[in-house]
Short mmCIF file of all heavy atoms in Angstrom, two decimals:
data_model
loop_
_atom_site.label_atom_id
_atom_site.label_comp_id
_atom_site.label_asym_id
_atom_site.label_seq_id
_atom_site.Cartn_x
_atom_site.Cartn_y
_atom_site.Cartn_z
N ALA A 316 18.22 -9.63 5.95
CA ALA A 316 18.55 -8.46 5.14
C ALA A 316 18.97 -8.86 3.73
O ALA A 316 18.60 -8.20 2.75
CB ALA A 316 19.68 -7.67 5.81
N MET A 317 19.72 -9.96 3.62
CA MET A 317 20.13 -10.42 2.29
C MET A 317 18.91 -10.76 1.44
O MET A 317 18.83 -10.41 0.25
CB MET A 317 21.03 -11.66 2.44
CG MET A 317 22.39 -11.35 3.05
SD MET A 317 23.31 -12.86 3.48
CE MET A 317 23.58 -13.58 1.86
N PHE A 318 17.93 -11.42 2.06
CA PHE A 318 16.73 -11.79 1.30
C PHE A 318 15.90 -10.55 0.94
O PHE A 318 15.40 -10.42 -0.18
CB PHE A 318 15.89 -12.77 2.11
CG PHE A 318 14.61 -13.17 1.42
CD1 PHE A 318 14.64 -13.88 0.24
CD2 PHE A 318 13.38 -12.80 1.95
CE1 PHE A 318 13.46 -14.24 -0.42
CE2 PHE A 318 12.19 -13.16 1.31
CZ PHE A 318 12.24 -13.87 0.12
N ALA A 319 15.75 -9.63 1.90
CA ALA A 319 14.96 -8.42 1.64
C ALA A 319 15.59 -7.58 0.52
O ALA A 319 14.89 -7.05 -0.35
CB ALA A 319 14.83 -7.60 2.92
N GLU A 320 16.91 -7.47 0.55
CA GLU A 320 17.61 -6.73 -0.52
C GLU A 320 17.37 -7.41 -1.88
O GLU A 320 17.13 -6.73 -2.88
CB GLU A 320 19.11 -6.69 -0.25
CG GLU A 320 19.52 -5.75 0.86
CD GLU A 320 21.03 -5.79 1.06
OE1 GLU A 320 21.78 -5.78 0.08
OE2 GLU A 320 21.46 -5.86 2.23
N PHE A 321 17.44 -8.72 -1.88
CA PHE A 321 17.28 -9.47 -3.14
C PHE A 321 15.87 -9.31 -3.70
O PHE A 321 15.67 -9.02 -4.87
CB PHE A 321 17.58 -10.95 -2.87
CG PHE A 321 17.51 -11.82 -4.10
CD1 PHE A 321 18.56 -11.88 -4.99
CD2 PHE A 321 16.37 -12.57 -4.35
CE1 PHE A 321 18.49 -12.69 -6.13
CE2 PHE A 321 16.29 -13.38 -5.47
CZ PHE A 321 17.35 -13.43 -6.37
N LEU A 322 14.88 -9.49 -2.83
CA LEU A 322 13.48 -9.44 -3.28
C LEU A 322 13.11 -8.05 -3.79
O LEU A 322 12.27 -7.91 -4.68
CB LEU A 322 12.57 -9.84 -2.11
CG LEU A 322 11.10 -10.12 -2.40
CD1 LEU A 322 10.93 -11.14 -3.51
CD2 LEU A 322 10.39 -10.60 -1.14
N SER A 323 13.75 -7.01 -3.23
CA SER A 323 13.37 -5.64 -3.59
C SER A 323 14.34 -5.01 -4.59
O SER A 323 14.22 -3.82 -4.88
CB SER A 323 13.31 -4.77 -2.33
OG SER A 323 14.57 -4.75 -1.67
N ASN A 324 15.29 -5.79 -5.11
CA ASN A 324 16.20 -5.16 -6.08
C ASN A 324 15.49 -4.88 -7.40
O ASN A 324 14.37 -5.35 -7.63
CB ASN A 324 17.48 -5.99 -6.26
CG ASN A 324 17.25 -7.32 -6.97
OD1 ASN A 324 16.30 -7.45 -7.75
ND2 ASN A 324 18.11 -8.28 -6.72
N ASN A 325 16.15 -4.12 -8.28
CA ASN A 325 15.48 -3.68 -9.49
C ASN A 325 15.09 -4.84 -10.40
O ASN A 325 14.02 -4.84 -11.02
CB ASN A 325 16.36 -2.69 -10.25
CG ASN A 325 15.62 -2.06 -11.41
OD1 ASN A 325 14.52 -1.55 -11.24
ND2 ASN A 325 16.19 -2.12 -12.61
N VAL A 326 15.95 -5.85 -10.47
CA VAL A 326 15.65 -7.00 -11.33
C VAL A 326 14.35 -7.66 -10.90
O VAL A 326 13.45 -7.93 -11.71
CB VAL A 326 16.81 -8.01 -11.30
CG1 VAL A 326 16.42 -9.31 -11.99
CG2 VAL A 326 18.05 -7.41 -11.94
N ASN A 327 14.22 -7.92 -9.59
CA ASN A 327 13.03 -8.64 -9.12
C ASN A 327 11.79 -7.75 -9.05
O ASN A 327 10.67 -8.22 -9.22
CB ASN A 327 13.33 -9.29 -7.77
CG ASN A 327 14.22 -10.51 -7.95
OD1 ASN A 327 14.01 -11.32 -8.85
ND2 ASN A 327 15.25 -10.63 -7.12
N GLN A 328 11.98 -6.44 -8.80
CA GLN A 328 10.81 -5.55 -8.87
C GLN A 328 10.30 -5.47 -10.32
O GLN A 328 9.09 -5.42 -10.55
CB GLN A 328 11.16 -4.16 -8.35
CG GLN A 328 11.33 -4.10 -6.85
CD GLN A 328 11.01 -2.73 -6.28
OE1 GLN A 328 10.01 -2.11 -6.60
NE2 GLN A 328 11.88 -2.24 -5.41
N MET A 329 11.20 -5.43 -11.29
CA MET A 329 10.75 -5.36 -12.68
C MET A 329 10.06 -6.66 -13.10
O MET A 329 9.09 -6.64 -13.86
CB MET A 329 11.92 -5.05 -13.61
CG MET A 329 12.29 -3.58 -13.69
SD MET A 329 10.87 -2.48 -14.05
CE MET A 329 10.18 -3.20 -15.54
N LYS A 330 10.56 -7.80 -12.60
CA LYS A 330 9.86 -9.06 -12.89
C LYS A 330 8.43 -9.00 -12.34
O LYS A 330 7.48 -9.46 -12.97
CB LYS A 330 10.62 -10.24 -12.26
CG LYS A 330 11.89 -10.61 -12.98
CD LYS A 330 12.56 -11.82 -12.29
CE LYS A 330 13.86 -12.21 -12.99
NZ LYS A 330 14.55 -13.31 -12.27
N PHE A 331 8.30 -8.45 -11.14
CA PHE A 331 6.98 -8.33 -10.52
C PHE A 331 6.11 -7.36 -11.34
O PHE A 331 4.91 -7.61 -11.57
CB PHE A 331 7.15 -7.82 -9.09
CG PHE A 331 5.99 -8.11 -8.17
CD1 PHE A 331 5.02 -9.04 -8.50
CD2 PHE A 331 5.89 -7.46 -6.95
CE1 PHE A 331 3.95 -9.31 -7.65
CE2 PHE A 331 4.82 -7.71 -6.08
CZ PHE A 331 3.85 -8.64 -6.45
N ALA A 332 6.71 -6.25 -11.79
CA ALA A 332 5.95 -5.24 -12.55
C ALA A 332 5.42 -5.79 -13.86
O ALA A 332 4.43 -5.28 -14.39
CB ALA A 332 6.84 -4.02 -12.81
N LYS A 333 6.07 -6.80 -14.39
CA LYS A 333 5.61 -7.39 -15.65
C LYS A 333 4.49 -8.39 -15.45
O LYS A 333 3.87 -8.86 -16.39
CB LYS A 333 6.80 -8.02 -16.38
CG LYS A 333 7.78 -6.96 -16.87
CD LYS A 333 9.08 -7.55 -17.41
CE LYS A 333 10.04 -6.42 -17.78
NZ LYS A 333 11.37 -6.92 -18.21
N ILE A 334 4.24 -8.73 -14.17
CA ILE A 334 3.13 -9.63 -13.84
C ILE A 334 1.92 -8.84 -13.38
O ILE A 334 0.78 -9.14 -13.73
CB ILE A 334 3.56 -10.61 -12.72
CG1 ILE A 334 4.73 -11.46 -13.19
CG2 ILE A 334 2.40 -11.48 -12.29
CD1 ILE A 334 5.35 -12.28 -12.07
N VAL A 335 2.18 -7.82 -12.59
CA VAL A 335 1.10 -6.97 -12.07
C VAL A 335 1.59 -5.53 -12.12
O VAL A 335 2.78 -5.27 -11.92
CB VAL A 335 0.71 -7.37 -10.63
CG1 VAL A 335 1.87 -7.25 -9.67
CG2 VAL A 335 -0.47 -6.56 -10.13
N ALA A 336 0.68 -4.61 -12.38
CA ALA A 336 1.10 -3.23 -12.65
C ALA A 336 1.43 -2.45 -11.38
O ALA A 336 0.79 -1.47 -11.02
CB ALA A 336 0.01 -2.51 -13.44
N ILE A 337 2.49 -2.88 -10.70
CA ILE A 337 3.00 -2.12 -9.55
C ILE A 337 3.86 -0.97 -10.06
O ILE A 337 4.22 -0.92 -11.24
CB ILE A 337 3.84 -3.01 -8.62
CG1 ILE A 337 5.06 -3.55 -9.40
CG2 ILE A 337 3.02 -4.11 -8.02
CD1 ILE A 337 6.19 -4.03 -8.53
N VAL A 338 4.22 -0.07 -9.15
CA VAL A 338 5.20 0.96 -9.47
C VAL A 338 6.49 0.57 -8.73
O VAL A 338 6.54 0.63 -7.50
CB VAL A 338 4.73 2.35 -9.00
CG1 VAL A 338 5.80 3.39 -9.30
CG2 VAL A 338 3.42 2.72 -9.68
N PRO A 339 7.53 0.17 -9.46
CA PRO A 339 8.79 -0.19 -8.78
C PRO A 339 9.37 1.00 -8.03
O PRO A 339 9.30 2.13 -8.49
CB PRO A 339 9.70 -0.63 -9.93
CG PRO A 339 8.78 -1.02 -11.03
CD PRO A 339 7.61 -0.08 -10.90
N THR A 340 9.98 0.71 -6.89
CA THR A 340 10.60 1.75 -6.07
C THR A 340 12.11 1.80 -6.28
O THR A 340 12.80 2.56 -5.63
CB THR A 340 10.33 1.47 -4.58
OG1 THR A 340 10.84 0.16 -4.27
CG2 THR A 340 8.86 1.54 -4.27
N SER A 341 12.60 0.97 -7.17
CA SER A 341 14.04 0.83 -7.39
C SER A 341 14.54 1.74 -8.49
O SER A 341 13.85 1.96 -9.50
CB SER A 341 14.35 -0.63 -7.74
OG SER A 341 13.49 -1.07 -8.79
N LYS A 342 15.74 2.25 -8.31
CA LYS A 342 16.36 3.07 -9.35
C LYS A 342 16.69 2.18 -10.55
O LYS A 342 17.13 1.03 -10.38
CB LYS A 342 17.63 3.73 -8.82
CG LYS A 342 17.37 4.83 -7.82
CD LYS A 342 18.65 5.48 -7.37
CE LYS A 342 18.38 6.65 -6.42
NZ LYS A 342 19.62 7.28 -5.92
N GLY A 343 16.48 2.71 -11.73
CA GLY A 343 16.75 1.95 -12.96
C GLY A 343 15.48 1.48 -13.63
O GLY A 343 15.46 1.27 -14.85
N ALA A 344 14.41 1.31 -12.84
CA ALA A 344 13.15 0.82 -13.41
C ALA A 344 12.59 1.81 -14.45
O ALA A 344 11.96 1.41 -15.43
CB ALA A 344 12.13 0.60 -12.30
N GLU A 345 12.84 3.11 -14.22
CA GLU A 345 12.28 4.12 -15.11
C GLU A 345 12.84 4.02 -16.53
O GLU A 345 12.26 4.56 -17.48
CB GLU A 345 12.54 5.52 -14.53
CG GLU A 345 13.96 6.03 -14.64
CD GLU A 345 14.91 5.40 -13.63
OE1 GLU A 345 14.46 4.56 -12.83
OE2 GLU A 345 16.10 5.74 -13.65
N LYS A 346 13.95 3.34 -16.69
CA LYS A 346 14.57 3.21 -18.02
C LYS A 346 14.16 1.93 -18.72
O LYS A 346 14.55 1.70 -19.86
CB LYS A 346 16.10 3.24 -17.87
CG LYS A 346 16.65 4.52 -17.27
CD LYS A 346 18.15 4.39 -17.05
CE LYS A 346 18.69 5.62 -16.34
NZ LYS A 346 20.14 5.45 -15.99
N ASP A 347 13.39 1.09 -18.05
CA ASP A 347 13.06 -0.22 -18.62
C ASP A 347 12.14 -0.06 -19.84
O ASP A 347 11.13 0.65 -19.78
CB ASP A 347 12.37 -1.09 -17.56
CG ASP A 347 12.39 -2.55 -17.95
OD1 ASP A 347 11.67 -2.93 -18.90
OD2 ASP A 347 13.15 -3.31 -17.31
N PRO A 348 12.48 -0.72 -20.94
CA PRO A 348 11.64 -0.63 -22.16
C PRO A 348 10.20 -1.07 -21.94
O PRO A 348 9.31 -0.66 -22.69
CB PRO A 348 12.36 -1.57 -23.14
CG PRO A 348 13.75 -1.69 -22.61
CD PRO A 348 13.66 -1.55 -21.13
N PHE A 349 9.98 -1.87 -20.90
CA PHE A 349 8.61 -2.35 -20.63
C PHE A 349 7.64 -1.19 -20.45
O PHE A 349 6.47 -1.29 -20.81
CB PHE A 349 8.62 -3.23 -19.38
CG PHE A 349 7.28 -3.76 -18.99
CD1 PHE A 349 6.69 -4.79 -19.72
CD2 PHE A 349 6.58 -3.23 -17.90
CE1 PHE A 349 5.43 -5.29 -19.36
CE2 PHE A 349 5.33 -3.72 -17.54
CZ PHE A 349 4.76 -4.76 -18.27
#
Side-chain angles (χ1 to χ4, degrees):
M317 291 170 65
F318 178 65
E320 286 180 44
F321 182 81
L322 191 53
S323 60
N324 69 26
N325 188 51
V326 170
N327 286 316
Q328 287 207 47
M329 279 309 306
K330 286 181 181 176
F331 201 15
K333 291 171 184 175
I334 299 170
V335 60
I337 61 160
V338 178
T340 57
S341 50
K342 289 182 177 177
E345 75 284 0
K346 299 175 185 174
D347 197 289
F349 179 74

